[in-house]
Amino acid sequence: MKVTILGCYAATPRSFTNPTSQVLEVNNHLFLIDCGEGTQVQLRKNRIKFSRIKHIFISHLHGDHFYGLVGLVSTFRLLNRETELHIYGPKGIKEIITLQLKLANSWTNYPLIFHELTSKEPQLLFEDTKISVSTIPLKHRVYTNGFLFREKEGDRKLLINEAVKYNIDKTLYKSLKKGKDVVSEDGKLIANHLVTADPPPPRSYAFCSDTVYDEDIVPLVKNVSALYHESTFLEDEFDLAFPTKHSTARQAATIAKLAGVKKLILGHYSTRYDDIELFRTEAAPIFPEIILADDGKEITVE
């Protein structure tokens, strides 16, 4: 599980910083999370294959989180994409994107499938045998969701030497990996735990941007492997956080501490600050396991 930060700054793009967008790579999936202006350029800079992106998750309809979407959709068309593309986002996103395509006479030559969201309760968006993706309802100036990516528990690890020792036929190895007891070739029942080991613990990643400080999300992100939480402001400008429905670095750290997460990734910094290390300085006394997001940074989720 790896996160590549394509952009993590608030409001407007600059020559050296980009608005919100990131890619989560997990179990052969490349999930694109938000798509601020310049996302496709950042994808190229970070050598991420466009063709592997099949699911895009848009948190809300503020420009710094989705103004790059129609450009990316159009580029997929120019690259002769054939694979379907799923876009998950607030109600209205289909109208916005399809209107631009219609007026430009640039309909896609691949299936473009919208999943419009209206629920203010957690909602399962995607699931396969290895991972699930659900919404995290957030409180912002417009309807907003975060996203929770959670691995499912994998197969048990087969201990080959033990399986041989207990005289187990190779045709039963798959059953062992699924946690079943088996009968050896000499007719003995072999308990699963004798020949297998526990799988690695499932990993999880929670993306929360943008939101006012809200303890309601704590149960939803409890014990996740990594939490990305917006930290637009520092405490010295706390008076700006609540009216704009954003959070401070200290508030993000408080959420991480209450939820017992393993790592906290700070981002969505206001461009008024010249040094993002200030965010770590403010948050660390509350929650020390901090990673500062920055454009182009790769973060392994363990």
Side-chain angles (χ1 to χ4, degrees), residues 8-9 30-31 33 36 39 43 69 122 130 134 141 164 182 184 196 198 205 222 235 251:
C8 61
Y9 290 81
L30 275 187
F31 296 123
I33 310 169
T39 290
L43 287 169
L69 182 58
K130 294 185 177 180
S134 303
R141 301 194 307 278
V164 171
V182 298
S184 67
T196 67
D198 291 338
Y205 177 65
K222 196 78 174 176
E235 282 293 315
Q251 289 174 330

Side-chain angles (χ1 to χ4, degrees), residues 122-140:
Q123 179 181 355
L124 179 66
L125 302 182
F126 172 83
E127 185 175 29
D128 63 13
T129 58
K130 294 185 177 180
I131 194 166
S132 66
V133 186
S134 303
T135 59
I136 304 171
L138 301 176
K139 294 178 181 176
H140 191 43

Side-chain angles (χ1 to χ4, degrees), residues 123-274:
Q123 179 181 355
L124 179 66
L125 302 182
F126 172 83
E127 185 175 29
D128 63 13
T129 58
K130 294 185 177 180
I131 194 166
S132 66
V133 186
S134 303
T135 59
I136 304 171
L138 301 176
K139 294 178 181 176
H140 191 43
R141 301 194 307 278
V142 296
Y143 175 75
T144 305
N145 286 299
F147 302 104
L148 175 61
F149 302 83
R150 190 180 292 279
E151 280 186 323
K152 297 181 179 180
E153 188 170 281
D155 291 345
R156 295 185 62 78
K157 182 180 179 181
L158 179 65
L159 305 176
I160 295 292
N161 291 339
E162 296 301 311
V164 171
K165 184 179 81 172
Y166 283 100
N167 200 25
I168 298 171
D169 190 274
K170 291 181 179 180
T171 60
L172 299 176
Y173 285 1
K174 187 173 181 180
S175 294
L176 288 171
K177 291 179 180 180
K178 296 298 180 184
K180 297 178 181 179
D181 298 336
V182 298
V183 176
S184 67
E185 291 189 14
D186 48 5
K188 296 180 181 178
L189 181 65
I190 308 300
N192 187 274
H193 73 272
L194 295 176
V195 290
T196 67
D198 291 338
R203 296 161 295 182
S204 51
Y205 177 65
F207 170 87
C208 295
S209 184
D210 300 3
T211 183
V212 73
Y213 177 78
D214 179 20
E215 294 183 6
D216 288 346
I217 71 172
V218 168
L220 303 180
V221 301
K222 196 78 174 176
N223 300 324
V224 296
S225 305
L227 166 66
Y228 176 94
H229 194 291
E230 75 124 286
S231 54
T232 307
F233 297 107
L234 297 173
E235 282 293 315
D236 61 358
E237 293 188 299
F238 173 82
D239 59 322
L240 295 177
F242 184 78
T244 59
K245 297 297 186 287
H246 284 297
S247 299
T248 66
R250 182 176 304 205
Q251 289 174 330
T254 301
I255 293 293
K257 181 178 180 180
L258 291 173
V261 308
K262 293 181 180 178
K263 298 284 185 181
L264 170 63
I265 305 171
L266 296 177
H268 200 263
Y269 317 112
S270 169
T271 54
R272 72 187 62 228
Y273 303 106
D274 294 326

